[in-house]
Amino acid sequence: MSICDSTNIDFEKLAAQVFDRCEVIAQCSDEAGKITRLFCSPAMANAHKQIRLWMEGCGLHCQMDSLCNLLGSTTTDDDRPRLLIGSHIDTVPNGGRYDGMLGILLGIGVVEALQSSLDQLPFALSVVAFSEEEGVRYRSPYIGSKAMVGCLDSELLDRVDDQGIRLRDAVKDFGGSVEHLAAARLREGSVIAFLEPHIEQGPVLEAENLAVGIVTGIAGQTRLTARFVGKAGHAGTVPMSMRRDALAAAAMWIQEVERIGQAREGLMATVGHVQVSPNVPNVIPGEVAVRLDARHAIDSVRIAAAKELQLRGESIASERGLELHWERCEEQNAVPTDSDLNALLKQTMEELGLPNKQMVSGAGHDAVYMSRVAPTTMLFVRCRGGISHHPDESVTQADIAVTLRTMVGFIERLSMSYSHK
Ligand SMILES: [Zn+2]
């Protein structure tokens, strides 16, 4: 017996509504002619106003927590276990319509789809719009979800933005309160599962002609800086044979980064930042700092690759008589999503006749932090050209409909497995 009779749901109509709503929220921007929505900005306030109307329109009880996360729930009973669905409300400057926002509006869409069977679900549904994920205004990401899981660094509260406004004051002006930070924290055991639908931000689904994919994990990440130190000198007078050119050495190492990245399945290895000193056309570069970003779903693979790259760097430096110094900037382990929830998604997709594509997210998401307090998974939605963080972000209405179907089927299966526990 199915709890939610999905045969009566008009997914095409709901998808059209989600699609149109993405367009409406795109107008909530801090910059004219662009989509820019920063943490606790006027644009975010406008987006809240609009999202509240939609949430209340489908019977959700809305409240904003102390760190400005907006929640809409089918219940006012805090003790009732809930399935939480959502993503972040903020964007990067000049961003797109779908990154973050699509996950929130899909959550509301699902509540509308299930209107007639909400009472029969063994848990409540809550939709969350995390207040901050992109790390733009206070140069620190995941502020919303960190507050909800209780790991927001209190030092951050006094950090200032480019206008000199402290985070605590921005939150206060928005109607929140860092003095009540603990109140934003989710109650232990209150969330039975968290589902974050999000655009893929990569080209894989499009290349394989798939609408949605199951995210089995979020890749771990190593960021380190290699500083090659040689000797600066006159570009016209120091003979080639007597040079200790730090940039030539760094260039060799960057090629090794690409080679090792290509040689290992699933490894992403990138040098996206180079600092050359003195960076003058007629001076041999004396010192070069090169930043490596390496990611993989399996921590041991990433760590071994970083180690190998360090050894290659050492030998390039010593062959050329250079010094090499390392600075580790970040080491974040991979976060697998919940295998039971993924199995339910897989069953759902099989039943809907969809290939159950499983994939790893190379980018970080709120799901990383939410997984600390609840079984968590993500659904990726195809986006054209894999483009994100750009006004050209594009998602089709047809793919939104497929995602809604998958989410409703998932909730149906989750409610059956939950009832049997
Ligand atoms: Zn995002």
Side-chain angles (χ1 to χ4, degrees):
M1 273 293 284
S2 120
I3 293 176
C4 341
D5 186 5
S6 50
T7 50
N8 291 328
I9 300 171
D10 188 345
F11 286 104
E12 307 308 321
K13 192 175 154 202
L14 288 168
Q17 183 171 269
V18 169
F19 190 82
D20 292 344
R21 286 176 172 180
C22 288
E23 203 55 49
V24 171
I25 297 290
Q27 309 306 314
C28 302
S29 175
D30 295 312
E31 288 185 284
K34 293 179 181 174
I35 304 171
T36 302
R37 204 162 41 245
L38 303 188
F39 177 58
C40 290
S41 69
M44 180 170 139
N46 285 335
H48 267 206
K49 210 184 280 176
Q50 185 58 68
I51 292 169
R52 267 178 189 270
L53 285 177
W54 293 329
M55 282 180 165
E56 286 165 0
C58 62
L60 293 175
H61 306 278
C62 287
Q63 67 177 86
M64 189 180 81
D65 72 17
S66 53
L67 256 282
C68 311
N69 297 301
L70 183 63
L71 285 138
S73 297
T74 55
T75 179
T76 50
D77 176 2
D78 285 346
D79 290 325
R80 185 157 155 78
R82 68 203 55 217
L83 164 65
L84 189 62
I85 302 172
S87 191
H88 58 95
I89 198 167
D90 65 324
T91 70
V92 296
N94 201 21
R97 288 159 174 70
Y98 304 102
D99 182 345
M101 188 47 62
L102 181 63
I104 301 166
L105 298 178
L106 280 167
I108 298 173
V110 157
V111 173
E112 300 201 347
L114 295 174
Q115 275 299 299
S116 60
S117 42
L118 288 172
D119 296 347
Q120 295 154 57
L121 292 175
F123 43 74
L125 294 183
S126 291
V127 179
V128 60
F130 294 115
S131 55
E132 207 284 344
E133 190 268 352
E134 299 285 8
V136 176
R137 184 167 179 187
Y138 288 97
R139 300 173 303 283
S140 179
Y142 312 113
I143 292 173
S145 50
K146 278 182 169 177
M148 283 180 72
V149 306
C151 71
L152 189 66
D153 188 350
S154 59
E155 276 177 29
L156 194 63
L157 305 178
D158 286 309
R159 190 176 283 185
V160 293
D161 69 2
D162 291 344
Q163 267 75 52
I165 300 169
R166 291 187 306 170
L167 187 147
R168 64 170 67 244
D169 297 326
V171 166
K172 192 175 167 203
D173 289 347
F174 199 82
S177 163
V178 301
E179 276 70 45
H180 299 97
L181 178 58
R185 197 169 175 167
L186 289 167
R187 276 202 209 187
E188 184 113 26
S190 63
V191 177
I192 59 158
F194 172 63
L195 171 65
E196 181 172 11
H198 199 283
I199 58 167
E200 182 200 343
Q201 300 183 271
V204 175
L205 290 171
E206 186 178 60
E208 298 187 22
N209 195 26
L210 300 170
V212 286
I214 305 169
V215 179
T216 54
I218 293 153
Q221 194 177 1
T222 297
R223 281 195 202 177
L224 50 85
T225 301
R227 200 157 51 84
F228 291 88
V229 183
K231 192 155 181 55
H234 196 294
T237 61
V238 181
M240 296 304 290
S241 61
M242 293 170 71
R243 294 185 180 197
R244 288 161 61 211
D245 183 331
L247 183 56
M252 282 186 77
W253 188 67
I254 292 169
Q255 294 214 322
E256 286 297 283
V257 170
E258 189 186 42
R259 185 184 66 78
I260 288 174
Q262 285 170 342
R264 278 164 189 68
E265 175 85 35
L267 183 68
M268 303 285 180
T270 309
V271 170
H273 189 267
V274 175
Q275 217 169 6
V276 181
S277 170
N279 207 17
V280 181
N282 61 351
V283 179
I284 300 159
E287 193 171 321
V288 175
V290 184
R291 290 205 209 154
L292 168 74
D293 178 315
R295 307 185 193 208
H296 198 277
I298 301 166
D299 294 327
S300 58
V301 175
R302 182 192 86 246
I303 290 164
K307 182 88 204 151
E308 188 177 345
L309 279 168
Q310 282 185 272
L311 292 173
R312 284 300 302 138
E314 304 288 354
S315 64
I316 290 168
S318 80
E319 280 159 21
R320 292 170 161 259
L322 307 183
E323 283 174 36
L324 178 55
H325 305 278
W326 297 99
E327 185 193 336
R328 195 166 294 269
C329 310
E330 193 169 309
E331 193 75 62
Q332 195 175 54
N333 281 345
V335 176
T337 53
D338 187 81
S339 56
D340 291 342
L341 296 181
N342 292 342
L344 296 178
L345 280 172
K346 185 166 176 270
Q347 283 168 24
T348 305
M349 290 165 79
E350 277 166 1
E351 202 151 302
L352 291 171
L354 300 168
N356 57 80
K357 172 73 183 172
Q358 318 220 345
M359 53 205 304
V360 171
S361 173
H365 292 286
D366 290 303
V368 168
Y369 287 93
M370 295 305 290
S371 69
R372 295 186 180 189
V373 297
T376 290
T377 192
M378 294 186 73
L379 266 179
F380 270 170
V381 184
R382 164 168 51 187
C383 57
R384 194 180 64 203
I387 295 168
S388 71
H389 287 186
H390 190 277
D392 288 348
E393 263 176 27
S394 176
V395 168
T396 67
Q397 203 170 297
D399 286 353
I400 294 175
V402 172
T403 313
L404 285 169
R405 275 180 201 280
T406 306
M407 291 168 73
V408 166
F410 166 77
I411 293 170
E412 193 166 299
R413 270 157 199 80
L414 183 66
S415 63
M416 285 189 282
S417 75
Y418 187 76
S419 307
H420 292 138
K421 267 185 187 161

